[in-house]
Amino acid sequence: MKARIWGARGSLPVALTHTQIRAKLVAALEGAIGRDLDNSEKIAGYVDSLGFDVRGTFGGHSSCVEVQVWDPDNCAEHVILDMGSGVRPLGGAKLARYGPGKPQTYHVFMSHLHWDHIMGFPFFTPAYIPGNRIIIYGCHAQLETAFRRQQESISFPVSFDQLGAKIEFRQLEPGVPIEINGLRITAKLQLHAGDSYGYRLEHGGRTLIYTTDSEHKLEDSAARQGFVDFFRNADLVIFDAMYSLADSISVKADWGHSSNVVGVELCQLAGARQLCLFHHEPIYDDAQIARVLAETRRFAELTGEAPLDVVAAYDGMEIEL
């Protein structure tokens, strides 16, 4: 099982500004002063030694994760978690690999129907290709309504009924697992405006948890235990860590998101192996996200009896379970 992050931001897509790109260039060049960088190999080595927040970017697409479950060379089925703006490059990559003449099936699991999680669908190229099949799963009764409404003429020039692929909607029941070719998926209700749902994916002895747009009240011990059980022994937890703990329990309480500290605590209690910080605050630049990651790793090191690997999601990241 492998997770590919196509969109790691929360709430809305963001792009690097001129000022931010300039700051990265200045930092890199300042670090190069006095170094003997007189050939391409040395330059590449120096760039690779820079911090990720200088040499790269955590990206700006809104939530979208692909889970590779089956052999892509022998199976024309794919799993997608949410359809934020990151699903546009995902669709482009699939088209480049398989071409328009090889029909594919996409199993899409929706955490919820807020715009940042469905906004990529009108730009998902496979939806326009006859022969493709897109099955959209979710626990919301308004699942189909949300996707159709987004493509009404006041919002988008191509209507839902003009899409070439066969598109189906399937409503799930929280706590009741379904199976697709040996993949077991279970949904769990989460605290968020209009409700959201996390997913536990199990296949081949590996477990991935996808839990975004979920708020955790520190005083609700029963709810906390429910998530500990849901995360139990997971190989990877992709977790909504949009806010600091201080913000999540004060000025941004009841905004429907969580923090890095809560993510660490839940993973430690559940015996999870890896935590991926996800749904990054859109006002955070790369340096701020890098600081959050460093602080989270330090917190996990100081508080955990067993090691917990902590990473921060970025567009293009791949995590092998």
Side-chain angles (χ1 to χ4, degrees), residues 97-146:
R97 175 164 187 166
Y98 299 107
K102 296 181 180 179
Q104 307 290 309
T105 296
Y106 297 90
H107 300 277
V108 180
F109 292 86
M110 297 301 305
S111 64
H112 64 309
L113 304 176
H114 286 165
W115 188 46
D116 54 318
H117 291 254
I118 67 171
M119 65 191 309
F121 178 74
F123 305 93
F124 184 54
T125 307
Y128 293 82
I129 300 175
N132 283 339
R133 185 184 182 199
I134 302 173
I135 308 171
I136 302 176
Y137 305 80
C139 298
H140 292 82
Q142 309 93 338
L143 189 63
E144 182 171 356
T145 300

Side-chain angles (χ1 to χ4, degrees), residues 6-11 60-65 80-87 111-112 116-119 210 212-213 278-280:
W6 292 93
R9 286 282 176 173
S11 297
H61 278 302
S62 64
S63 301
C64 181
V65 176
I80 300 172
L81 306 172
D82 278 334
M83 301 193 87
S85 64
V87 84
S111 64
H112 64 309
D116 54 318
H117 291 254
I118 67 171
M119 65 191 309
Y210 179 72
T212 188
D213 294 70
F278 186 72
H279 205 271
H280 303 310

Side-chain angles (χ1 to χ4, degrees), residues 85-217:
S85 64
V87 84
R88 185 197 60 80
L90 187 163
K94 296 305 178 189
L95 185 61
R97 175 164 187 166
Y98 299 107
K102 296 181 180 179
Q104 307 290 309
T105 296
Y106 297 90
H107 300 277
V108 180
F109 292 86
M110 297 301 305
S111 64
H112 64 309
L113 304 176
H114 286 165
W115 188 46
D116 54 318
H117 291 254
I118 67 171
M119 65 191 309
F121 178 74
F123 305 93
F124 184 54
T125 307
Y128 293 82
I129 300 175
N132 283 339
R133 185 184 182 199
I134 302 173
I135 308 171
I136 302 176
Y137 305 80
C139 298
H140 292 82
Q142 309 93 338
L143 189 63
E144 182 171 356
T145 300
F147 279 84
R148 284 185 172 275
R149 186 179 63 180
Q150 184 175 220
Q151 305 223 199
E152 292 178 356
S153 60
I154 196 171
S155 300
F156 200 74
V158 182
S159 73
F160 189 90
D161 292 330
Q162 289 178 292
L163 299 175
K166 181 181 180 181
I167 302 171
E168 307 167 35
F169 294 89
R170 297 188 183 176
Q171 191 167 353
L172 304 177
E173 183 177 344
V176 179
I178 65 168
E179 290 206 9
I180 305 169
N181 299 335
L183 171 66
R184 181 183 174 94
I185 308 105
T186 308
K188 177 174 176 54
L189 176 64
Q190 302 178 142
L191 180 60
H192 190 74
D195 293 339
S196 73
Y197 296 85
Y199 291 98
R200 181 181 176 99
L201 291 78
E202 300 168 278
H203 182 269
R206 300 296 183 185
T207 299
L208 181 152
I209 302 294
Y210 179 72
T211 172
T212 188
D213 294 70
S214 178
E215 185 168 1
H216 299 270
K217 299 294 187 181

Side-chain angles (χ1 to χ4, degrees), residues 233-256:
N233 297 326
D235 296 283
L236 172 65
V237 176
I238 299 174
F239 186 86
D240 177 348
M242 190 169 182
Y243 302 140
S244 68
L245 178 62
D247 281 350
S248 69
I249 62 175
S250 58
V251 294
K252 295 182 179 179
D254 302 320
W255 285 27

Side-chain angles (χ1 to χ4, degrees), residues 264 268 295-308 310:
V264 169
Q268 288 174 338
E295 292 166 0
T296 308
R297 285 174 169 168
R298 182 59 176 160
F299 177 74
E301 180 183 353
L302 291 173
T303 59
E305 296 181 2
L308 174 66
V310 181

